[in-house]
Amino acid sequence: MSNCIFDKIINGEIPSNKVLENDEFLAFHDINPKAPVHILIIPKKHVENFQEADAKILGKIGEFTQEVAKLMGVDKSGYRLVTNCGADGGQEVMHLHFHLLGGTHLKWTNAKENSDPKDTF
Ligand code: AMP
């Protein structure tokens, strides 16, 4: 029995609003969306975060993500892909996941108003 919330979603202990699934990956709606389209994409194998993932899983999850983008209708309009990694990255769920965000013109926060990174971070 895993305590990981995404493992529980994978094995059906916790419900999710699924978008796409195959043997290795699952995509579902984020419970607290930050954009009109906000999908989480995860491997079914428990990998802690991006830093722990191997090339095989990253390549395959990339192709799976492209399919999710098409399904959500943002493949042409564009989207943002984010993965928070570790404590400084703000990762809250310790199971590798990519946030696919789109459906609106996203702003690039911090980039303009904080042009000198050392004043900000
Ligand atoms: P992160 O901060 O990158 O670890 O993001 C974790 C994400 O998981 C957040 O955007 C949460 O809203 C989302 N989340 C947490 N629990 C659930 C859940 N049960 N179903 C869907 N999304 C969830």
Side-chain angles (χ1 to χ4, degrees):
M1 282 272 286
S2 167
N3 275 329
C4 168
I5 192 161
F6 288 174
D7 281 337
K8 288 182 196 282
I9 284 176
I10 290 160
N11 67 31
E13 283 176 69
I14 291 179
S16 67
N17 190 355
K18 290 180 189 176
V19 169
L20 186 65
E21 181 173 17
N22 67 17
D23 286 349
E24 294 177 276
F25 304 105
L26 175 65
F28 55 98
H29 288 267
D30 195 293
I31 206 167
N32 182 20
K34 303 285 195 293
V37 173
H38 187 169
I39 307 298
L40 296 175
I41 296 152
I42 65 174
K44 290 188 175 178
K45 179 182 171 198
H46 185 91
V47 176
E48 184 144 318
N49 58 34
F50 186 86
Q51 195 61 30
E52 301 301 321
D54 61 29
K56 201 172 160 190
I57 210 163
L58 292 176
K60 286 182 169 184
I61 208 169
E63 288 181 344
F64 184 81
T65 299
Q66 290 169 342
E67 287 307 309
V68 174
K70 282 183 198 160
L71 262 180
M72 298 309 298
V74 297
D75 55 315
K76 300 280 193 287
S77 53
Y79 55 90
R80 183 169 298 160
L81 207 54
V82 173
T83 187
N84 298 324
C85 181
D88 279 358
Q91 184 178 5
E92 288 179 358
V93 178
M94 296 300 158
H95 183 125
L96 173 65
H97 54 282
F98 288 89
H99 299 255
L100 188 153
L101 300 147
T104 189
H105 191 77
L106 296 164
K107 290 198 170 57
W108 186 240
T109 50
N110 286 339
K112 269 193 176 161
E113 64 268 34
N114 304 312
S115 54
D116 187 349
K118 75 177 182 331
D119 292 339
T120 313
F121 301 106

